[in-house]
Amino acid sequence: MITFDAVTKAFPGGNVAVDNLSLELPTGQITVFVGPSGCGKTTSLRMINRTIEPTSGTISIDGEDVTSQDAALLRRRIGYVIQHAGLFPHRTVADNIATVPLLNGVNKAQAREQARELLTRVGLDESLASRYPAQLSGGQQQRVGVARALAADPPVMLMDEPFSAVDPIVRDGLQREFLRLQSELGKTIAFVTHDIDEAIKLGDRVAIFREGGHLAQVGSPQDLLDDPADEFVADFVGRDRGFRALSFITAEKLEVEQVSAYVDRARGASLVLDDTGRPTGWSVDGQEVLRALPGTFTTRDALRLVTDLAITSPAGAAVRVDEAGVADGVVAHEAIARHLTALRRETER
Amino acid sequence: MPAPVVPMLNYFAYLFDGGHWSLAGEGIPDRLLQHIAYTLVTLAISAVIALPVGLFIGHTNRGAFLAINIGNAGRSLPTFGLLSLMVVLVGIGTLPVIVALVVLAVPPILASTYAGLRSVDRSAVDAAIGMGMRPIQVLFRAEVPMALPLIVSGLRSALLQVCATATVAAYVGLGGLGRLLIDGLSTNDYPQVFAGAVLVAVLAVLLDLLSAAVERAVVSPGVRERSVRRTRWRRARPDPTNEDAPTSPVGISG
Ligand SMILES: Nc1ncnc2c1ncn2[C@@H]1O[C@H](COP(=O)(O)OP(=O)(O)O)[C@@H](O)[C@H]1O
Ligand SMILES: [Mg+2]
């Protein structure tokens, strides 16, 4: 567990970046620091590995004050990932990953061997080991940055906007793999982002910061959406927080209509299937030309996805498939709305 | 009497006269060795002065005005004038020559070392510190290797300047290829002057080739501009492991 106890950081010139922060980051969980730019997230993060020293207050890891240890040795036990990866351009990918083990005196051959294993672990091909960072894409560099932070198997990881500089599609893949990795590794992670969507997606706990380095609210993503502490938090999580909240409800209990019966007379749309029963598209107004399917969902997907599919479908309905990808139900957005109303009544009771 | 029709041959007469290439006495080999010695001794002393100062200024970013002003002042100091002054002050000898040449060589090395360190990607330095490198490790394992292309280019341009300017040694009675120029001029022996000029130029080219080889050996391919460009170009083939667009990190053009 990482503990902030009444931590304040005032930069020379009187700029108070973090103001009396008390916060606990539970062991084995991802705690996200989120908030508008300049509200002290990076400063808070960097005080954990002492790349910035607090003006007052203490930070401890598992009860031990970080200032009681040699700063360089402390940092080698804390993984560190930053926005533009910060890879060393003069070192190969393998040698970048081996940085901390080499500092710790592990021999070169062993460190390189381990670096190759880590490459696979973060979803990269081992053949990249001998490349230089300039020969990698932004997404690949970011993965190498994560592998490098994991190399000495530190119990704690600090990540400062690690996925902000890549495009949205790549970012989505990185986030998903990050969560998969964390489910295997169970690190204690402090993760900084300015993107509330990313915070909700990745955080076990989310700490919302506001200008002047104040902690506005901390809790699970669901807590923050359901029960924002004040106007600032409500505003920051967004007016569409009802929609965001759908990320936490699966489509398991959502009732669907039979596929065979589904011909919406009003819109004149019907679902077209291939020989194996997989959906291929919508036929609208009896035309031969198929309109593309925006996607399909399974019972394990979130209602947020289902709603999105229904809204963007040319037929105003989302298609459910089974494990094999065979269409096994259709749901119109009116039906989703009814389902949501029923859910709300249930929670209000 | 017709005028001689092959005056060009005369210019090579001195250079291609085997007698001047004798290893004994003060032949061309002797002058060449002296010239190389002045050049390398000067470069070594200049590097010992300019590299640590440049590294300190670049690493701490303290005293940057020093690097810039010394650079500018050094460039505008006439080496010959400085040499004359030194001779008046300390007398004839190797010392005033070396001092004058060092004053010539320090500014390019200092300025490029400083510029090299300042050009280093800040996020890589941030990562180096955050991963637990000590200050000296940050300097020698991160900053210097990244700054090396510029540092080496400063050393190479200093080498060329010193090699060309070391001819001044002859003006104060010392050796080196400058002797051929001075002696040739004083006796109107133009083939000798020509030989001196050609030898200085050829030596400069050879030293530059040699230093290019050294550069290739010490600078990582990851920060060497040409090799990065070449491998990037090769990557234009479809690459299954590449899920998004390649990047163009700062400092690497092309
Ligand atoms: N080294 C510094 N010197 C002075 N002020 C700083 C320094 N670093 C950050 N700040 C200031 O502290 C505040 C918080 O910065 P930061 O923690 O980087 O914010 P965030 O990461 O939330 O965008 C900002 O107002 C910023 O300008
Ligand atoms: Mg920040």
Side-chain angles (χ1 to χ4, degrees), chain B residues 108-141:
Chain B
I109 303 175
L110 183 63
S112 67
T113 304
Y114 165 77
L117 282 204
R118 297 321 300 164
S119 74
V120 160
D121 176 11
R122 291 333 285 169
S123 68
V125 175
D126 178 24
I129 298 168
M131 285 190 301
M133 285 193 192
R134 298 187 185 282
I136 205 77
Q137 292 170 324
V138 172
L139 181 62
F140 287 109
R141 296 192 188 191

Side-chain angles (χ1 to χ4, degrees), chain A residues 11 15 17 36-43:
Chain A
F11 282 106
N15 183 357
S37 168
C39 64
K41 308 179 294 289
T42 295
T43 306

Side-chain angles (χ1 to χ4, degrees), chain B residues 198-224:
Chain B
V198 167
L199 286 169
V200 169
V202 169
L203 179 62
V205 169
L206 289 179
L207 285 176
D208 197 48
L209 286 176
L210 192 71
S211 61
V214 171
E215 171 164 10
R216 208 161 309 121
V218 300
V219 177
S220 157
V223 289
R224 223 187 291 141

Side-chain angles (χ1 to χ4, degrees), chain B residues 8-20:
Chain B
M8 273 308 290
L9 275 182
N10 290 337
Y11 283 97
F12 287 98
Y14 189 95
L15 190 58
F16 290 154
D17 177 349
H20 294 135

Side-chain angles (χ1 to χ4, degrees), chain A residues 181-194:
Chain A
L181 211 59
Q182 167 65 356
S183 71
E184 292 169 11
L185 300 175
K187 304 282 183 194
T188 305
I189 297 176
F191 188 109
V192 166
T193 178
H194 61 264

